[in-house]
Amino acid sequence: MSDLIRNYLPWVMSAVTIYTMFAAGELKKHTWLVGLCNQVLWATWIITTASWGLLPMTLAITFVYARNHFKWAKKATP
């Protein structure tokens, strides 16, 4: 299983990251939730491959995506 994660998950994460950036540019309200789900994949990959240097980036992006999601949700409701 770890070989599957190590070899194929980066392709999935890349596709989701590209989609997230596209959706953000289109102001899609689900953008940040998709990004947050992608961070779960990143964390899985980081732990599986012991790529600990990427952990600070994942934590920071998770914070930014959560912040953006709540800010956008607040703007969407009157």
Side-chain angles (χ1 to χ4, degrees):
M1 180 66 149
S2 66
D3 283 341
L4 287 174
I5 292 171
R6 184 174 284 115
N7 295 326
Y8 296 105
L9 195 56
W11 292 95
V12 174
M13 295 182 307
S14 294
V16 174
T17 299
I18 292 166
Y19 172 76
T20 300
M21 295 299 100
F22 176 77
E26 295 294 316
L27 303 175
K28 303 286 186 184
K29 65 181 180 179
H30 65 274
T31 298
W32 309 116
L33 292 177
V34 172
L36 284 168
C37 291
N38 197 32
Q39 294 313 299
V40 173
L41 299 178
W42 272 100
T44 301
W45 189 79
I46 289 167
I47 292 166
T48 302
T49 62
S51 298
W52 304 116
L54 294 173
L55 190 57
M57 176 200 65
T58 297
L59 294 173
I61 291 174
T62 299
F63 173 79
V64 170
Y65 284 176
R67 175 189 166 274
N68 289 350
H69 170 69
F70 290 116
K71 284 186 82 166
W72 282 29
K74 189 186 289 187
K75 282 185 178 183
T77 56

